Amino acid sequence: MENTEIIDQHAPRFYIGQHESKRALPVTDQTLNSAQECGYDMLTTPITTPYFHNRVLALLSKHLYAPLSDESLPPIIPALEAVDTPLTPGEMISQLVGIASAWTDICSPDQLISNLSRQVLKLEVAYAAFCGIGNIIIPGPKLHHGAVHGDGLAQYARAIQEALNSGTYTSLQIHLPMTDHPDSDAEDQMGALAPFARLSGGEIDKQSLGEARRADMFGTWDAWNVIRTTCKYSPRLSIALSIPRHLPPEPVQSRWYAEPLRLLIFPATTFLRNKKGYPVLGKTHQQLLTKYMRLRTVPWILLSDVGPIPNLEPVLDEPTLDGHLSPSIVADARDSVISVSPEGQPGPRPHTGRKQSNDAPAQLSYMRHLEQNQPPRTTIELFGSGYQDFLQSPLQPLTDNLESVTYEVFEKDPIKYDWYERAIAAALVDWTELEKPVSGPNGRVVVAVAGAGRGPLITRALRAADTVGTEIDMWAVEKNPSAYVLLQRHNAEDWDNRVSIVKSDMRSWKGPTLHDRLGESGKVDILISELLGSFGDNELSPECLDGISHVLSPDGISIPASYTAHITPISTPKLHSDILLRTATEPEASQTPYVVMLHALDYLSTNPQKPDEPMVKQTWSFSHPARESLLLLGATRESGAISGGGLAGGEGVNEHNARYSRTLFPCTYRGSMNGFAGYFETVLYDGGKGSELVELSTNPITMARKSKDMISWFPMFFPLKTPLYFPDHSEVAISVWRQTDDRMVWYEWLVEAFLVVGPKDNRRVRVACSELHSCRKTGCLM
């Protein structure tokens, strides 16, 4: 019961609106009140009236059959008048979503139509912004014009950039289908401008309309990528995604999941009918909805054309333009639309006799049912609420003393400490069974925690020793003076003074004090630490454990024993947008690795057999204790006996901890790479055959098997300053360096994209390459 209450508290609320594609009457206070009474949270409203549509057609009629030339001036649409729009500023305006005219075609190959469409959009956005409309849905680009595909996309993207400048406090949502299909651009809008596009000779382009056109699974996303890139990833630009009756494959769903979704539009045709005749969503649609509604910014839902609002007088559909202009009709276009009074109000309407209902539309009731019956959240989702896609700079534990609250967050992870306790217990059992010599007095095994913090590993070590019945001599080393005070209190109140506590940097500690031999220090049999960062080695675990390895006995055990770093290329537009905003005040923002609970992302390289499983590959590894020959080489360089210095500077004392990796990732589908995710796996303890193997992992491929529900570490994100676009069937190569100059450690990275053009000889052509990124200015100080 307690867990259920937590889940309900974090369940997203569905903000549901109603959209009528042919809404003609202005939205009044009565309309909004009726909508709210039946359960809607918002309504859409057209920004302009059919009267304005009529004016534009009349203007078009004067120029439609004029010869095309570069010198001819396009007509100018006069400013809006009262009859041109149903909107007026007021208190209810915040509950409305504006709808830009769908009869325009900015992508038209006919510059006359394209220019008029741009003017319409600019006028509408400017006036809606003046009225206080916060969100405007703009019809997506028409990509198909007969045999021509996507040629006007640059015009469209530029027009959206202009629209963003027209309404500086208004957000724009581009209405897009999930996939690019020729039928999606079918001209079912009466009075649409697209069918009247002319060729360079001035004739209407009819011949190419019948030519074969192919569907493109990622074509719509490709168009969106051009638009938002042109608009420099504006945070005021997002997507109104139309959910079809038949969902596209998983890779397409995953791609849209990573994008800035503001609205999910469910047309009436998307719903199925159950045995009782009620509208429902299929299982795959329900799963999609659950996934999308768990984004950090929960998208709104629009139910499109599911029926009128109850308690309102039903009306007939508005008469509209027939959409087939002939020369004679064009001349009289002003009279070819619905009858509109000079005040811009529609004329009288006959009563349809349709029965009114006080009940909410069935689709709305069903969506509210789904809202109340959302699947429970996982442990990680509950813990990470609020952290999703939030950029955090990595910790600098060697130079900064952590606050108590930071330690507290780490200690909330039961999995990590349970696994550490298992590893310690297994090591103690093996030590006894193998009859290894002990370093402690009276036959006790010496156990030390390096970097004890507030003491959770000490508690686990003592408990493990008691569980297996092995006597230990417990030591704790901590440099943080405030944590040192707390450790002393724990020792007196919780540990029965069984722990020897040392305030020191672990690298300066000489080892346990031998009371019977003044001035001498003893050895440690089992050395425990939790110095791992999100990328394994990014918080200088190798350097710290190298510095304390001198206290280990010849048979000594390090927990952890080893760890590996792993990466995979990802698309994370939200993070890229956030980093762009940071760059204004933080010049190195785009060259800084971040700790992030990655959420709205798309894995660009996936398992061919499991499309939802990313391809994650290892870069490098570290083992502890390090080989004595490596440490000896570093000491020799430090003494000056070997000259030459390190490759990145310094004397080369820490050169053995430098690393380089170049990994290749096949990418079946085109994409825009914003960076790559970094993970780690660690072997806490492996005693060999017959002993327990204890591992931790943040790698999404192995985490469920090795340490399910572990929450201590979020992934590392290595950003790209400029997104790297690559075509279908590409191969991405990621080069990563771990650099050191004996004073600090930093990473450098570079990404290349290749296209295989010679199937027989496997010849590859480089199609993209990023700049060399370096976080040296924000590196980790040793």
Side-chain angles (χ1 to χ4, degrees):
M1 180 64 68
E2 183 178 349
N3 192 36
T4 302
E5 292 175 356
I6 294 176
I7 293 173
D8 290 342
Q9 181 182 356
H10 290 85
R13 182 184 182 277
F14 287 13
Y15 193 69
I16 304 176
Q18 188 247 24
H19 170 63
E20 293 180 20
S21 59
K22 296 181 180 180
R23 197 192 304 277
L25 285 175
V27 177
T28 63
D29 289 343
Q30 178 189 356
T31 310
L32 274 172
N33 290 335
S34 297
Q36 290 174 347
E37 287 175 1
C38 74
Y40 285 117
D41 298 298
M42 60 182 171
L43 295 177
T44 63
T45 176
I47 299 173
T48 53
T49 63
Y51 189 87
F52 175 72
H53 188 181
N54 180 25
R55 281 210 297 137
V56 174
L57 284 172
L59 194 60
L60 173 64
S61 70
K62 297 179 181 180
H63 296 78
L64 189 60
Y65 287 92
L68 286 175
S69 68
D70 294 336
E71 293 78 16
S72 60
L73 295 176
I76 304 298
I77 301 176
L80 294 180
E81 300 177 2
V83 295
D84 294 326
T85 177
L87 295 181
T88 185
E91 293 183 359
M92 71 174 186
I93 207 76
S94 63
Q95 300 172 53
L96 299 179
V97 175
I99 303 292
S101 295
W103 41 265
T104 59
D105 183 13
I106 299 174
C107 292
S108 176
D110 186 337
Q111 290 303 305
L112 170 63
I113 290 176
S114 176
N115 187 281
L116 286 175
S117 299
R118 284 175 56 196
Q119 293 184 56
V120 169
L121 178 63
K122 190 171 184 178
L123 286 170
E124 290 183 333
V125 171
Y127 183 73
F130 165 77
C131 291
I133 291 284
N135 294 274
I136 301 175
I137 298 176
I138 299 176
K142 292 179 174 62
L143 301 177
H144 299 272
H145 296 85
V148 179
H149 178 267
D151 280 11
L153 189 56
Q155 279 275 57
Y156 182 93
R158 185 175 182 277
I160 297 300
Q161 177 62 53
E162 292 174 346
L164 287 168
N165 295 333
S166 297
T168 54
Y169 297 101
T170 301
S171 296
L172 307 183
Q173 288 84 46
I174 310 300
H175 186 184
L176 297 169
M178 294 189 80
T179 58
D180 173 22
H181 195 281
D183 295 341
S184 65
D185 284 344
E187 301 304 334
D188 56 357
Q189 172 85 18
M190 292 297 100
L193 305 186
F196 312 116
R198 303 165 297 175
L199 296 175
S200 58
E203 299 177 357
I204 296 177
D205 181 7
K206 295 180 179 178
Q207 180 179 358
S208 64
L209 294 178
E211 295 189 19
R213 298 177 294 186
R214 294 186 307 160
D216 185 351
M217 199 163 65
F218 284 94
T220 308
W221 172 85
D222 219 343
W224 159 251
N225 187 51
V226 172
I227 297 165
R228 57 98 175 276
T229 301
T230 303
C231 298
K232 299 179 180 178
Y233 283 74
S234 170
R236 293 191 293 115
L237 183 64
S238 56
I239 297 169
L241 189 64
S242 184
I243 309 300
R245 187 181 185 93
H246 301 288
L247 290 176
E250 170 62 29
V252 180
Q253 298 179 38
S254 178
R255 181 64 54 84
W256 287 118
Y257 177 73
E259 299 296 342
L261 298 177
R262 176 71 281 186
L263 284 157
L264 302 178
I265 300 178
F266 288 85
T269 54
T270 301
F271 292 86
L272 307 174
R273 294 283 173 177
N274 64 11
K275 294 180 180 179
K276 295 183 179 180
Y278 292 108
V280 296
L281 294 176
K283 291 293 184 183
T284 54
H285 284 76
Q286 293 180 42
Q287 293 168 358
L288 177 81
L289 181 64
T290 297
K291 180 179 180 179
Y292 283 7
M293 295 304 284
R294 291 190 175 179
L295 289 164
R296 183 179 183 183
T297 302
V298 181
W300 301 338
I301 296 173
L302 269 188
L303 299 179
S304 177
D305 296 325
V306 297
I309 299 171
N311 302 324
L312 289 179
E313 184 72 15
V315 297
L316 287 175
D317 290 340
E318 283 290 340
T320 57
L321 295 165
D322 61 12
H324 301 282
L325 291 174
S326 64
S328 59
I329 294 178
V330 168
D332 299 318
R334 182 180 297 276
D335 302 322
S336 66
V337 294
I338 63 171
S339 174
V340 181
S341 68
E343 292 76 25
Q345 299 299 324
R349 310 171 188 279
H351 195 283
T352 63
R354 188 187 302 166
K355 184 179 179 181
Q356 294 185 354
S357 171
N358 293 326
D359 297 328
Q363 290 88 346
L364 175 59
S365 298
Y366 176 72
M367 297 301 284
R368 292 300 182 196
H369 166 75
L370 292 181
E371 179 183 19
Q372 297 300 320
N373 294 274
Q374 300 177 60
R377 294 200 168 202
T378 65
T379 301
I380 294 178
E381 286 175 330
L382 288 172
F383 174 80
S385 180
Y387 291 100
Q388 298 168 340
D389 296 323
F390 179 73
L391 297 167
Q392 304 175 70
S393 297
L395 296 174
Q396 294 248 17
L398 286 183
T399 55
D400 299 333
N401 289 321
L402 304 182
E403 301 291 337
S404 180
V405 66
T406 305
Y407 289 117
E408 184 178 356
V409 172
F410 297 150
E411 293 167 13
K412 288 181 178 179
D413 188 346
I415 301 299
K416 178 177 75 172
Y417 293 108
D418 284 348
W419 264 236
Y420 262 98
E421 184 175 336
R422 284 174 48 200
I424 297 167
L428 288 172
V429 169
D430 289 348
W431 195 283
T432 302
E433 291 182 351
L434 295 174
E435 298 182 349
K436 292 184 178 181
V438 298
S439 302
N442 302 321
R444 292 196 296 265
V445 179
V446 179
V447 178
V449 174
R454 302 200 315 177
L457 284 179
I458 298 172
T459 301
R460 295 298 184 137
L462 292 172
R463 185 187 301 175
D466 292 341
T467 301
V468 301
T470 301
E471 291 190 5
I472 64 173
D473 190 15
M474 189 77 224
W475 289 79
V477 183
E478 176 56 50
K479 72 174 181 63
N480 187 336
S482 299
Y484 173 72
V485 174
L486 186 60
L487 289 173
Q488 289 178 313
R489 181 162 290 130
H490 281 316
N491 197 27
E493 298 176 358
D494 303 320
W495 300 327
D496 197 23
N497 291 312
R498 298 166 62 187
V499 184
S500 299
I501 304 173
V502 180
K503 186 173 79 68
S504 170
D505 185 314
M506 67 182 72
R507 296 168 295 179
S508 303
W509 185 45
K510 296 181 180 180
T513 303
L514 297 178
H515 298 289
D516 56 343
R517 289 182 239 171
L518 295 178
E520 293 187 27
S521 299
K523 295 294 185 180
V524 172
D525 298 321
I526 299 177
L527 180 65
I528 308 165
S529 63
E530 51 175 334
L531 304 170
L532 298 178
S534 294
F535 199 46
D537 56 80
N538 61 288
E539 293 183 12
L540 305 191
S541 177
E543 285 72 20
C544 291
L545 293 182
D546 282 355
I548 198 177
S549 62
H550 63 274
V551 306
L552 267 178
S553 65
D555 294 318
I557 296 172
S558 173
I559 297 177
S562 64
Y563 37 92
T564 53
H566 303 255
I567 60 174
T568 187
I570 58 175
S571 173
T572 54
K574 183 185 184 307
L575 295 184
H576 182 75
S577 178
D578 290 347
I579 291 173
L580 283 180
L581 293 176
R582 286 191 176 203
T583 306
T585 55
E586 302 175 28
E588 299 301 318
S590 61
Q591 305 213 46
T592 300
Y594 295 95
V595 174
V596 190
M597 183 183 181
L598 297 171
H599 191 65
L601 84 159
D602 181 34
Y603 295 111
L604 298 175
S605 179
T606 57
N607 187 331
Q609 281 71 43
K610 299 178 181 179
D612 59 339
E613 182 179 282
M615 193 82 72
V616 182
K617 295 189 176 183
Q618 179 178 326
T619 55
W620 51 64
S621 65
F622 290 91
S623 298
H624 299 288
R627 295 200 313 271
E628 189 174 346
S629 58
L630 294 177
L631 300 178
L632 181 60
L633 177 62
T636 305
R637 283 180 163 176
E638 188 175 20
S639 67
I642 298 179
S643 60
L647 293 175
E651 299 297 330
V653 177
N654 196 41
E655 195 73 22
H656 64 283
N657 284 324
R659 295 288 189 274
Y660 166 68
S661 169
R662 188 173 189 268
T663 47
L664 303 178
F665 295 89
C667 299
T668 304
Y669 306 109
R670 76 198 78 165
S672 181
M673 181 178 169
N674 300 113
F676 56 94
Y679 310 95
F680 77 89
E681 296 181 8
T682 179
V683 175
L684 292 181
Y685 179 71
D686 182 9
K689 186 176 181 181
S691 180
E692 184 176 9
L693 173 64
V694 185
E695 300 176 280
L696 298 175
S697 174
T698 64
N699 182 341
I701 305 301
T702 60
M703 183 176 178
R705 174 170 55 86
K706 295 184 176 182
S707 50
K708 184 180 180 182
D709 293 334
M710 185 176 65
I711 57 178
S712 280
W713 291 278
F714 294 153
M716 183 76 85
F717 175 60
F718 293 83
L720 293 182
K721 188 175 182 179
T722 303
L724 186 138
Y725 179 88
F726 53 84
D728 293 334
H729 306 294
S730 295
E731 188 174 56
V732 168
I734 302 177
S735 297
V736 192
W737 293 262
R738 187 181 196 266
Q739 301 279 56
T740 177
D741 62 359
D742 300 339
R743 296 184 303 105
M744 66 188 309
V745 173
W746 69 94
Y747 297 102
E748 296 179 358
W749 60 97
L750 180 145
V751 179
E752 303 163 278
F754 298 88
L755 186 63
V756 179
V757 295
K760 294 183 179 179
D761 56 0
N762 201 31
R763 186 165 59 90
R764 302 187 308 162
V765 174
R766 183 182 288 102
V767 294
C769 182
S770 76
E771 65 178 78
L772 177 64
H773 298 69
S774 174
C775 64
R776 184 167 190 168
K777 292 183 179 179
T778 57
C780 210
L781 295 172
M782 295 171 57

